[in-house]
Amino acid sequence: MEVEELSSFLAHSHFEETCVICENLKPKGIHLYTSFICTECENDLIQTDTNDPKYKYFLKQLKKITTPEIFS
């Protein structure tokens, strides 16, 4: 009975994660290593020209993303 309630809760709940770029809670996006990038920032990043000042901001925010260490 408890398993059914939990699976129903998970199916209908909307999880939000903090975007590494805009730093807001968003429900949809992609994961890059251990970081989350929301759909809106992903689209902005893809469409931003490299000479746009916003591009430097994106680079600064993306530098927060580090490759996770592999422990063996």
Side-chain angles (χ1 to χ4, degrees):
M1 188 72 166
E2 290 179 24
V3 173
E4 289 176 10
E5 291 173 8
L6 179 60
S7 62
S8 176
F9 169 76
L10 292 174
H12 294 95
S13 65
H14 297 281
F15 293 104
E16 291 187 334
E17 296 182 68
T18 303
C19 174
V20 72
I21 295 176
C22 68
E23 299 177 345
N24 293 318
L25 287 173
K26 299 289 181 96
K28 293 182 181 180
I30 60 171
H31 290 94
L32 183 60
Y33 295 116
T34 58
S35 298
F36 174 77
I37 300 173
C38 71
T39 303
E40 292 86 3
C41 288
E42 177 191 5
N43 290 333
D44 280 349
L45 180 62
I46 291 168
Q47 296 174 359
T48 301
D49 200 35
T50 56
N51 58 6
D52 187 324
K54 196 168 28 169
Y55 187 77
K56 287 186 180 182
Y57 171 75
F58 287 140
L59 289 179
K60 184 184 115 205
Q61 295 300 92
L62 289 171
K63 286 180 182 178
K64 296 178 186 179
I65 300 172
T66 59
T67 306
E69 295 181 30
I70 299 174
F71 298 104
S72 56

